[in-house]
Amino acid sequence: MEKVSIFDTTLRDGEQAPGYSMNLDEKLRMALQLEALGVDVMEAGFAIASPGDFQSVKAIADAVKESSVCSLSRALEKDIDASAAAIAGAARPRIHTFIATSDLHLKYKLKISRTDCLRQIRRAVAYARNFCGEVEFSAEDASRTDFDFLCKAVETAIAAGAGIVNIPDTVGYSTPDEFGALIAGLIGRVKGIDKAVVSVHCHDDLGLAAANSLAGVKAGARQVECTIDGIGERAGNAALEEIVMGIVTRRDRYAGVTTGVRTREIAHTAKLLSTITGVRIAPSKAIVGANAFAHESGIHQHGVISNAQTYEIMTPESVGMQKTELVLGKHSGQHALESRLKDLGYDLSPERAADVFAAFKDLADRKKQITDRDLVALAETRVASKGSAAREWKLDSFVVNSGNHMSATAQVTLRRGNRVAQDAAIGTGPIYAAFRAIEKIIRHRFVLEDYRIEAVTEHRDALGEVLVKISDGKGSYRGRGVSTDVIEGSIFALLVAVNRMLETGR
Ligand code: KIV
Ligand code: ZN
């Protein structure tokens, strides 16, 4: 079996997509989960882009042990210097350097000749090799590059020391037959190609990113660049889960190749990304969407009950999608809860576990059936905050009063360690009034940038999941809260965000 390396760029190309930006702690959490998923390489960021990007790449490089950690750099010495410094502590460092090769980009973006481009490739790759044995070169807009020139560019990179040559379909313009032929053509023509791994990097502007990537694999590519849930620039990148499950499910079409991905971690990884970024996975998203294994019509249900293979080409369990089960009730103990949370991928500190248990007991009094989805929602609101629990503001109690012919009022009591503080405020609605009261208690002003509310499960006693994003002018902080009461859920969510804001300012 030949291995197809999975190169995950969720934290670089994915994070470039609007709405997906993550702070250092969030990126680190995501990186550790990508490692648990078994990706071979993770692109942790673009070190030169900002001091924050540099710090995130460095923190990931220092923490991740099993996957290669890579930083993107233009074909410029200053970019490569930044990448090299950021990944210096990595167990398996990689520098990724790129330059556009299509005439369109050379003429209008870079304003350089083809000869200059080749010179820059040679210099950049050779320079990067001074810092690290694993150097990857990407020919941006490769699929729209003149084929003869692309061969020269790739040949130059390999001769200068690139061990991985990446062929991006940067604007998602290619079709599977065309892209497969491009990879086969390069493998047949470029001198020294046997010394390098050929990689593909496809975007989804025509919805063909995964198909093009798989065509690349069929033609001989042995690294695929992709992101969780296909997030990325514009319409996104190829989705990791689609490529991996394409190879696993269609062994007959991809005989002889395999990946190192632990497929049972796929759903948890996608869920974590959604939790961190606050962006929901589309219900119909292949493999990880809520409907990917749901069977609504009677004919389908009947078929699946008789034999799941009638309408399921892979099992939900194989990608870690557990069927919603009734797991725990009001008589369950902390041990049972912790063990279930462990199964769901949450290894909480004793302090956080006690916190989740208290919330679970409270929920069990109000909601008859507590499902895995409820537990995940409860756990997520607790793992989001990283500071010491003793320094965090917690909700003690609240009273709101609102109606259609009056201003809403809220009285909120918070606790922080042994301190109890109370205040009241008026607002245009009960949630706004409660937020104003909290602002007065914590003596910090913030701007509410985003507020969303969704039901976690289907029934009348469903948990409401609230997402808030606040900013204090220096940074943005997200919080998530769940409760059967939307006002309480909103206060929980705001307190997570507030505690993060205060922790960052300390
Ligand atoms: O899409 C692209 O061409 C890229 C490169 C930087 C690899 O993201
Ligand atoms: Zn890209």
Side-chain angles (χ1 to χ4, degrees):
M1 279 277 190
E2 273 187 70
K3 183 161 177 198
V4 175
S5 278
I6 297 296
F7 176 117
D8 180 276
T9 182
T10 303
L11 298 171
R12 198 278 298 170
D13 222 338
E15 208 232 359
Q16 282 172 217
Y20 285 97
S21 63
M22 293 172 238
N23 64 28
L24 190 148
D25 283 343
E26 292 166 338
K27 284 188 186 170
L28 193 55
R29 215 175 139 209
M30 198 61 217
L32 295 174
Q33 178 54 33
L34 290 170
E35 184 178 35
L37 176 66
V39 304
D40 300 279
V41 189
M42 67 180 80
E43 189 158 55
F46 198 168
I48 191 122
S50 70
D53 267 48
F54 181 91
Q55 288 307 334
S56 303
V57 177
K58 180 167 167 22
I60 293 169
D62 292 347
V64 167
K65 298 288 168 256
E66 278 170 24
S67 317
S68 294
V69 176
C70 161
S71 169
L72 185 66
S73 342
R74 288 165 297 182
L76 298 173
E77 291 191 359
K78 61 177 181 179
D79 283 37
I80 294 168
D81 286 339
S83 285
I87 58 163
R92 296 159 197 260
R94 179 183 291 192
I95 294 177
H96 180 189
T97 183
F98 78 100
I99 191 168
T101 49
S102 67
D103 287 333
L104 196 64
H105 280 236
L106 292 183
K107 182 167 175 198
Y108 293 102
K109 188 180 82 177
L110 299 174
K111 300 183 176 31
I112 59 170
S113 66
R114 286 186 178 184
T115 314
D116 292 336
C117 176
L118 294 181
R119 193 175 308 125
Q120 232 174 297
I121 294 172
R122 197 174 303 115
R123 275 203 196 144
V125 172
Y127 187 67
R129 278 301 301 263
N130 294 326
F131 301 99
C132 147
E134 230 177 78
V135 172
E136 170 171 337
F137 167 71
S138 283
E140 190 189 12
D141 207 20
S143 56
R144 295 191 301 170
T145 298
D146 171 72
F147 182 65
D148 290 339
F149 183 62
L150 181 61
C151 289
K152 270 198 201 129
V154 172
E155 225 164 86
T156 304
I158 296 172
I164 306 99
V165 283
N166 184 39
I167 311 300
D169 181 24
T170 302
V171 289
Y173 179 70
S174 233
T175 59
D177 52 342
E178 184 188 26
F179 196 68
L182 174 64
I183 301 301
L186 286 167
I187 291 176
R189 167 95 172 267
V190 170
K191 261 191 258 141
I193 197 84
D194 51 312
K195 291 199 217 96
V197 174
V198 176
S199 167
V200 291
H201 174 117
C202 299
H203 280 267
D204 210 29
D205 300 65
L206 290 173
L208 294 171
N212 286 341
S213 306
L214 288 169
V217 169
K218 258 220 139 23
R222 288 297 174 260
Q223 175 177 284
V224 178
E225 302 197 353
C226 44
T227 60
I228 301 298
D229 201 17
I231 69 167
E233 283 276 359
R234 305 180 312 279
N237 287 60
L240 179 147
E241 61 276 10
E242 294 172 17
I243 292 157
V244 170
M245 292 316 288
I247 292 174
V248 170
T249 310
R250 296 307 306 270
R251 279 188 222 283
D252 54 332
R253 306 296 300 168
Y254 301 96
V257 297
T258 183
T259 77
V261 167
R262 299 175 188 107
T263 64
R264 284 173 184 272
E265 290 290 328
I266 286 177
H268 180 57
T269 313
K271 171 74 189 159
L272 180 63
L273 178 66
S274 158
T275 299
I276 286 176
T277 59
V279 184
R280 279 228 146 184
I281 303 170
S284 58
K285 171 72 191 64
I287 323 281
V288 293
N291 292 348
F293 296 94
H295 304 280
E296 185 74 30
S297 88
I299 296 175
H300 285 210
Q301 284 178 352
H302 177 73
V304 169
I305 289 165
S306 309
N307 180 341
Q309 284 181 11
T310 50
Y311 288 100
E312 276 181 6
I313 59 166
M314 64 194 100
T315 64
E317 294 78 16
S318 66
V319 294
M321 291 281 257
Q322 266 130 352
K323 292 211 169 86
T324 301
E325 300 159 53
L326 175 63
V327 281
L328 297 168
K330 69 194 263 181
H331 302 296
S332 308
Q334 184 160 348
H335 188 71
L337 175 71
E338 278 180 42
S339 129
R340 186 68 205 134
L341 284 170
K342 241 188 199 134
D343 289 347
L344 293 168
Y346 296 91
D347 208 351
L348 302 177
S349 68
E351 209 177 13
R352 298 269 173 229
D355 223 12
V356 177
F357 185 62
F360 163 75
K361 280 287 178 190
D362 184 39
L363 178 63
D365 276 338
R366 305 188 220 178
K367 189 172 188 288
K368 274 196 224 137
Q369 303 191 335
I370 299 185
T371 65
D372 284 352
R373 280 197 275 163
D374 293 325
L375 292 181
V376 166
L378 283 184
E380 278 302 333
T381 60
R382 268 73 192 174
V383 285
S385 45
K386 293 272 291 182
S388 154
R391 281 209 304 247
E392 290 174 355
W393 285 106
K394 295 202 170 109
L395 176 65
D396 192 85
S397 62
F398 71 92
V399 179
V400 293
N401 200 0
S402 84
N404 56 345
H405 293 298
M406 61 183 284
S407 298
T409 58
Q411 183 181 323
V412 179
T413 308
L414 300 184
R415 260 179 306 111
R416 188 194 216 178
N418 296 327
R419 190 175 151 212
V420 176
Q422 189 181 73
D423 220 316
I426 298 177
T428 44
I431 292 169
Y432 182 55
F435 284 12
R436 286 278 305 116
I438 291 173
E439 216 172 24
K440 284 163 118 182
I441 296 172
I442 65 166
R443 292 168 202 256
H444 265 84
R445 293 189 73 83
F446 52 80
V447 176
L448 184 63
E449 289 191 337
D450 196 9
Y451 174 88
R452 270 179 283 158
I453 183 158
E454 277 158 10
V456 177
T457 44
E458 291 80 17
H459 305 292
R460 277 182 188 211
D461 60 354
L463 274 187
E465 184 173 36
V466 181
L467 271 153
V468 301
K469 191 170 164 200
I470 58 171
S471 96
D472 60 356
K474 286 182 241 144
S476 293
Y477 312 90
R478 271 188 290 261
R480 178 178 294 250
V482 290
S483 172
T484 48
D485 177 322
V486 293
I487 298 172
E488 187 180 59
S490 303
I491 295 175
F492 285 155
L494 180 67
L495 289 178
V496 172
V498 156
N499 285 324
R500 293 178 124 184
M501 177 177 81
L502 299 179
E503 183 65 30
T504 309
R506 256 179 212 122

